[in-house]
Amino acid sequence: MENQSCVKIVTEWDIVAARQLGRNMAKELGFGTVDQARITTAISELARNIYLYAGQGQICIETINEFGKNGLKIIAIDNGPGIPDIRKVMEDGFSTSGGLGAGLPGVKRLMDEFSINSGVGEGTDIQAIKWLR
């Protein structure tokens, strides 16, 4: 049942395309409107981070089935500058762009599973899963 689609993030319009793809896949899988909104918001945050901090990258969304549960996995990958202090960016209120600082901690709260790998000069790989209830 695994099915993956990706959107390259280069312009702000690509953020919109990634959001739309996520919403459509979430709806197809059977997520309710509240979880669709959570997934869409998480994708928006991740795509915007790629656009702002890495310049380009991609958002991949795939349907998954593990242990008899269906879900949606969001993968955000870039080859940008990387995150020097992951613990710091995961603090509520921390922002390097003057924003609200709800970004990655917000994504973690919106989704059921969240992992981040980043190396300075190597880029960042973030994966988040929302399970269908």
Side-chain angles (χ1 to χ4, degrees), residues 45-107:
E45 248 341 293
L46 294 170
R48 184 161 302 287
N49 282 354
I50 290 171
Y51 177 73
L52 288 176
Y53 301 112
Q56 63 181 12
Q58 67 178 358
I59 297 284
C60 294
I61 305 163
E62 65 182 54
T63 54
I64 57 172
N65 183 299
E66 291 178 11
F67 314 111
K69 295 192 303 186
N70 291 322
L72 212 54
K73 180 191 274 187
I74 315 317
I75 304 158
I77 304 169
D78 68 65
N79 293 316
I83 301 170
D85 188 346
I86 291 174
R87 194 172 311 141
K88 191 84 175 154
V89 300
M90 292 308 294
E91 288 177 14
D92 278 319
F94 177 79
S95 174
T96 57
S97 66
L100 295 174
L104 292 178
V107 171

Side-chain angles (χ1 to χ4, degrees), residues 31-50:
F31 281 100
T33 53
V34 172
D35 277 340
Q36 286 175 39
R38 287 182 177 123
I39 290 164
T40 303
T41 302
I43 290 168
S44 188
E45 248 341 293
L46 294 170
R48 184 161 302 287
N49 282 354
I50 290 171

